[in-house]
Amino acid sequence: MSFRTYFLLFISGLILPIVIAQFQPAPGYLDSDYYFAGGTQLFRGNGFNEPYLWNYLDGAASLPHPSHTYWMPLASIFSALGMWLTGEETYASARLPFLIIAALVVPVTAGLSYSFSKKRELAITSALLAIFSIYHASFVGVTDNFSLFMLFGGLYFILATKLMEDPTRTRNWFLLGLLAGVLTLSRSDGLLWLALTFLFTIWRAKEDLLNNLQPATRNYILSAAEGTHHNLQITKYVLRNSLTALLGFLLIMSPWYVRNLKAFGTIIVPGGGRTLWLENYDQTFIYPPEHLSRESFLAIGWDKIISARMWALGINLQSGFAAHGGIILFPFILAGIIYCRKDERIKLATTAWLTLFFVMTFIFPFAGARGAFFHAGAALQPMWWTLAPLGLDEILLSLRKRNWGNDQTKVIFRSALVMIAIILTGFIVNLRLFTLGWGEGEANYPAVEKFLLTNGIQPDDVVIVRNAPGYYLETNRSAISIPYGGKGAILAVANQFDAGYLVLEPNAGNSQINSLLDNPQAQPYFVFLGQVNGANIFKINK
């Protein structure tokens, strides 16, 4: 396809995210708040440090503390880039790179699709599905990892295509390693892509080396036990290209690992492993974090352990069908997978999805079911948007062999597929932005801050609140999240981080602190100051 076509697809890909952005004046949810807040810290010259805390798993003991100890930093870096480019510390500036990246996903998807079919009409159909992405449309332009993962995932499969077409271009292994690095710098589960690259070297070794042999020699090696020399060649091929990919990966990740070594003494931030032992999602906010352990996990009993994973199984299957599969696209994606099942790119994509599904269901069920699986799967969306039109065409071809349909039928069905995707996208965007409302109560925080100021809060006082990064963004005040563990845990973090006030929103409570919501008066250590937009405000007597 021509450069003009790709450029027009890029421009087309800008329109919908920009329109949606007009109804998203703020990040809207914790993840996006966090990445934007991290970007403001970088923009201000404060580096990877933060005066807020959204969970306690890394064992932080004071504010400010090292940032990005649970989530990775690349989305914050891009947020800062937008502010550096405009010179303004605003959300509109921070999200600018994400809008551009969301638009770039469209021609990248078209390029990937064209590499499969060599058909312009199928590539454009895939590009349109990338624009009208149903569940993803509300999120690709916000300060989060969706558009980053889509872009880097799409480029990964394009590079894999280049290696399949020309195995002599070994520099592409280095580039695959670079992409695995930026995927990991976006999300910790990006490490999967480095593992997939190593697996890809094994598959390519057999193909590339055997295909260079004469047919008689190839058949002899495949059938004879004397293929030791060729096996050595395969081993050298795998090691050489794996090390090349690893070099690209480390070029991206080494600075971050060095930072972690300086801040924590390990290249992997402590605390992330504690999520292995969660009993429920709320324990993500547990304090002190040492309460999470292998012993505490096993103590709840295997019935609860298995039950939690069965719950995550159901949620993730729904996510795979609706969010990743795009509802109407799902059967055609499956048809495309079956049709292209021998293609190594399809093997990589299905291996990635199945691995993510297993990890996010059985190892990290609470994080997975609460959005991590939806997030992590974004890297595969360009592949699914590529396969859906291919699968549809294969189904129609099978019907045509039975004397049903013609070339015009293909056009009609492709158009119908895109139209249904447009309708579903409109419905989901309307639901997310208007019916449910964009945001999770952060707009109330300025009013809460004003109330606290009238009640004597001091500039250095720390507030305990549901969304600590969101509160910081709205008020520029240090904040920490409400811990899991009841009133005792709240008092403990208040003492540890010198927090003097508690903001308890109706949707922030749990059974452990219901009394603070239902009967705020006469609570030991908690002096009820009043209510702002449904939120109970307390001064903490430590």
Side-chain angles (χ1 to χ4, degrees):
M1 295 199 303
S2 67
F3 174 81
R4 180 174 177 272
T5 300
Y6 285 120
F7 180 73
L8 290 175
L9 289 174
F10 167 75
I11 297 299
S12 300
L14 272 175
I15 297 171
L16 185 60
I18 288 176
V19 169
I20 292 174
Q22 307 314 303
F23 305 97
Q24 297 170 317
Y29 57 100
L30 177 61
D31 308 44
S32 186
D33 279 323
Y34 183 83
Y35 292 123
F36 176 37
T40 64
Q41 290 298 102
L42 293 173
F43 178 70
R44 294 176 183 179
N46 295 330
F48 292 105
N49 295 285
E50 54 196 24
Y52 44 84
L53 192 63
W54 85 267
N55 75 51
Y56 305 91
L57 294 175
D58 65 352
S62 62
L63 295 177
H65 73 109
S67 67
H68 300 88
T69 60
Y70 186 89
W71 287 321
M72 298 296 282
L74 192 60
S76 288
I77 294 171
F78 273 96
S79 296
L81 176 62
M83 291 182 273
W84 286 328
L85 289 173
T86 62
E88 297 180 354
E89 188 183 307
T90 64
Y91 182 59
S93 297
R95 73 183 305 171
L96 181 62
F98 297 89
L99 294 171
I100 294 172
I101 291 169
L104 285 171
V105 170
V106 178
V108 165
T109 300
L112 180 61
S113 177
Y114 191 76
S115 73
F116 273 83
S117 65
K118 306 302 181 186
K119 295 180 180 179
R120 184 176 182 273
E121 62 273 17
L122 286 182
I124 291 176
T125 302
S126 294
L128 290 171
L129 295 177
I131 294 173
F132 300 101
S133 53
I134 308 177
Y135 278 90
H136 293 89
S138 299
F139 300 101
V140 292
V142 304
T143 50
D144 202 342
N145 291 306
F146 288 101
S147 56
L148 295 176
F149 248 42
M150 289 175 186
L151 178 64
F152 300 141
L155 290 174
Y156 185 96
F157 286 110
I158 287 176
L159 274 175
T161 303
K162 299 295 184 184
L163 274 168
M164 291 168 64
E165 293 173 346
D166 184 3
T168 64
R169 299 181 66 180
T170 55
R171 67 180 182 183
N172 283 335
W173 291 111
F174 177 77
L175 296 177
L176 282 182
L178 285 178
L179 284 173
V182 293
L183 284 161
T184 306
L185 201 62
S186 301
R187 289 182 53 85
S188 56
D189 46 58
L191 273 171
L192 167 65
W193 294 89
L194 181 63
L196 286 173
T197 303
F198 294 156
L199 180 62
F200 192 40
T201 63
I202 297 172
W203 291 344
R204 292 313 307 161
K206 294 178 180 178
E207 288 296 319
D208 294 345
L209 294 177
L210 288 176
N211 285 341
N212 289 330
L213 299 174
Q214 295 295 324
T217 306
R218 174 186 172 123
N219 292 335
Y220 174 75
I221 289 174
L222 288 174
S223 60
E226 288 84 354
T228 303
H229 175 69
H230 190 70
N231 289 337
L232 182 61
Q233 287 183 301
I234 289 177
T235 302
K236 289 180 178 179
Y237 179 102
V238 170
L239 287 175
R240 180 179 68 250
N241 293 317
S242 293
L243 289 173
T244 302
L246 182 61
L247 179 63
F249 175 84
L250 291 176
L251 183 65
I252 298 295
M253 288 302 299
S254 289
W256 189 247
Y257 290 150
V258 170
R259 176 266 192 181
N260 289 343
L261 275 172
K262 290 181 178 179
F264 304 103
T266 60
I267 64 172
I268 304 298
V269 176
R274 289 191 172 109
T275 56
L276 284 167
W277 315 122
L278 292 178
E279 180 183 342
N280 55 64
Y281 178 77
D282 288 341
Q283 285 188 331
T284 305
F285 305 90
I286 198 169
Y287 185 86
E290 290 77 17
H291 285 175
L292 286 179
S293 65
R294 180 175 179 272
E295 290 71 26
S296 69
F297 175 74
L298 294 175
I300 67 174
W302 282 105
D303 55 337
K304 291 184 178 179
I305 292 171
I306 294 172
S307 177
R309 279 141 186 82
M310 292 302 99
W311 166 78
L313 177 65
I315 297 295
N316 288 340
L317 284 173
Q318 292 176 48
S319 184
F321 169 73
H324 298 163
I327 306 173
I328 187 63
L329 305 183
F330 184 78
F332 306 115
I333 293 171
L334 286 182
I337 290 173
I338 294 170
Y339 169 62
C340 301
R341 61 189 178 276
K342 294 182 180 179
D343 192 299
E344 289 176 3
R345 294 166 295 179
I346 303 304
K347 294 178 183 177
L348 281 172
T350 53
T351 299
W353 191 89
L354 290 171
T355 303
L356 284 171
F357 181 80
F358 177 84
V359 170
M360 297 298 180
T361 299
F362 299 106
I363 300 179
F364 300 106
F366 300 108
R370 289 291 291 262
F373 183 52
F374 177 41
H375 276 77
L380 296 164
Q381 291 304 134
M383 180 61 78
W384 306 148
W385 293 324
T386 291
L387 290 177
L390 277 173
L392 174 61
D393 265 26
E394 283 306 305
I395 291 173
L396 293 175
L397 181 61
S398 297
L399 293 174
R400 190 171 180 179
K401 290 178 179 178
R402 300 180 182 182
N403 298 318
W404 189 91
N406 51 38
D407 289 339
Q408 187 63 29
T409 305
K410 288 185 178 181
V411 175
I412 293 171
F413 273 84
R414 286 179 199 147
S415 301
L417 190 67
V418 172
M419 285 303 301
I420 294 173
I422 292 172
I423 293 168
L424 287 173
T425 299
F427 175 78
I428 297 298
V429 169
N430 178 72
L431 177 67
R432 186 64 183 84
L433 267 61
F434 304 110
T435 303
L436 298 177
W438 185 253
E440 298 176 342
E442 299 90 332
N444 291 329
Y445 289 158
V448 171
E449 177 70 7
K450 183 178 180 180
F451 177 86
L452 289 173
L453 289 170
T454 63
N455 280 272
I457 193 171
Q458 298 301 305
D460 293 335
D461 284 340
V462 177
V463 172
I464 304 175
V465 68
R466 177 185 57 82
N467 181 346
Y471 195 90
Y472 173 78
L473 287 170
E474 295 290 342
T475 67
N476 207 35
R477 179 179 295 280
S478 291
I480 59 177
S481 291
I482 298 170
Y484 177 88
K487 289 184 283 187
I490 294 175
L491 291 172
V493 298
N495 281 300
Q496 180 67 56
F497 296 94
D498 197 23
Y501 295 85
L502 170 67
V503 178
L504 196 58
E505 300 158 73
N507 59 346
N510 56 61
S511 59
Q512 298 173 318
I513 54 175
N514 276 346
S515 61
L516 290 173
L517 285 169
D518 301 334
N519 184 25
Q521 304 286 352
Q523 293 284 339
Y525 304 105
F526 297 91
V527 179
F528 182 61
L529 300 179
Q531 194 174 81
V532 177
N533 297 329
N536 289 350
I537 315 296
F538 299 89
K539 181 176 175 60
I540 302 173
N541 286 335
K542 293 171 281 186

